[in-house]
Amino acid sequence: MAGGSIPHFQNDAGHPVIEIGVREFMCVGANPPFDHPHVFLDLGSDDEKVCPYCSTLYRYSAKLKATETVPAGCLYVDRAA
């Protein structure tokens, strides 16, 4: 995503699968203070990847925009920034 920002996703609700509309992203785990190290994940040509810290399965969906998730509400927004 050269020239853009990398979206961050969180999984406070413990969803087993989160569908996302990007192939490069950051997983933060749960919202702070319960987050894990913010890890960059790149799907490459795959459609799924498991976060090595929280075991959330992220699945790519071309139907979603970069800021959309299924289930809804998994986009992480840094309120301190």
Side-chain angles (χ1 to χ4, degrees):
M1 293 190 73
S5 63
I6 302 293
H8 290 54
F9 298 106
Q10 55 82 23
N11 191 5
D12 276 339
H15 302 293
V17 178
I18 298 175
E19 293 185 27
I20 57 176
V22 294
R23 293 189 171 277
E24 296 178 345
F25 60 97
M26 300 284 284
C27 179
V28 304
N31 279 310
F34 305 108
D35 55 337
H36 61 55
H38 298 190
V39 59
F40 176 78
L41 299 171
D42 184 349
L43 297 177
S45 61
D46 296 331
D47 287 334
E48 297 182 337
K49 184 160 292 238
V50 174
C51 174
Y53 285 96
C54 65
S55 300
T56 298
L57 173 63
Y58 288 96
R59 183 174 294 144
Y60 176 73
S61 173
K63 295 183 253 177
L64 298 173
K65 296 178 183 175
T67 58
E68 294 179 316
T69 63
V70 173
C74 295
L75 179 70
Y76 171 71
V77 178
D78 186 359
R79 306 268 185 235

